[in-house]
Amino acid sequence: MQFRIQEALNKGTLPPIQETIEVTSLLKGRRDVLSASPIHVKLNVHAADGIIHVDGRLTSELEMACSRCLNPAAVKVDVPFHEQFKPVEALSPEDEDLDVDDPIEVVGETLDLKPYVEDLWLLELPFVPVCSSDCRGLCSECGQNLNERECGCERGSIDPRLAALKDLFKDNDNQ
């Protein structure tokens, strides 16, 4: 996913970029991702007024552990990609007034889009995936999957500061 910066500035538009990126190295150490398809990248590159505009989409499918019941949850990631790059001779010191819409300054003859694609894709992964919106999760007492069957555990939580009062009322019921 590399291209020559000067070529993009001279031509104005480059042929569309369509590639796939393997994600195994990106997901190394993540136990919540059970399986993942490669990222399908479709990007268009055009330049105007000394700024390179890259627009397109990133798509992939994952199977992640549901955050409530730990069963597999199908997740579809479809991310719009919009970035602007400005070629410079040297990077300027970090400016506190930088806006989100400011172009990313790049140095060199070529621009590699892969790190930007990977970063954006990772940021779009769901933090708490669920297998369905009505997933009931696991029992906090015995660990039974409540989507499959009830477990019979008493799940009424009592504020620990009031636990002594619970015992007080039990004694009154026995008299």
Side-chain angles (χ1 to χ4, degrees):
M1 285 200 289
Q2 294 184 11
F3 60 88
R4 293 183 159 284
I5 293 173
Q6 197 57 46
E7 180 183 356
L9 293 172
N10 291 341
K11 289 184 177 179
T13 302
L14 295 179
I17 297 171
Q18 294 189 12
E19 290 189 26
T20 57
I21 299 174
E22 282 299 321
V23 296
T24 38
S25 63
L26 295 174
L27 299 173
K28 189 175 184 178
R30 289 201 51 170
R31 294 183 189 175
D32 60 333
V33 179
L34 306 174
S35 66
S37 72
I39 306 170
H40 299 284
V41 181
K42 294 180 182 179
L43 300 175
N44 295 311
V45 179
H46 63 279
D49 301 324
I51 296 178
I52 299 170
H53 302 268
V54 182
D55 300 301
R57 293 202 91 64
L58 316 174
T59 57
S60 68
E61 294 180 6
L62 295 99
E63 191 172 72
M64 300 180 79
C66 175
S67 61
R68 295 180 188 164
C69 69
L70 302 178
N71 283 340
V75 176
K76 199 169 204 151
V77 178
D78 187 1
V79 186
F81 186 91
H82 305 286
E83 289 293 349
Q84 299 177 0
F85 300 94
K86 179 180 178 183
V88 293
E89 295 297 320
L91 294 176
S92 61
E94 296 289 359
D95 194 327
E96 293 178 14
D97 299 347
L98 286 179
D99 190 10
V100 174
D101 296 329
D102 288 344
I104 298 169
E105 294 181 344
V106 291
V107 177
E109 295 179 13
T110 61
L111 177 57
D112 186 9
L113 297 173
K114 187 175 178 180
Y116 300 101
V117 166
E118 291 174 343
D119 287 349
L120 180 62
W121 182 80
L122 282 171
L123 287 172
E124 289 296 320
L125 292 182
F127 187 65
V128 281
V130 290
C131 58
S132 68
S133 60
D134 60 343
C135 177
R136 296 178 56 212
L138 302 176
C139 173
S140 60
E141 297 294 319
C142 69
Q144 171 63 42
N145 187 338
L146 298 175
N147 296 315
E148 296 170 357
R149 65 180 171 90
E150 287 295 324
C151 62
C153 293
E154 187 177 319
R155 287 187 289 277
S157 62
I158 297 177
D159 188 333
R161 296 171 290 181
L162 303 176
L165 292 178
K166 176 183 150 196
D167 296 335
L168 178 71
F169 290 116
K170 280 185 182 177
D171 290 341
N172 287 339
D173 291 340
N174 295 335
Q175 292 177 354

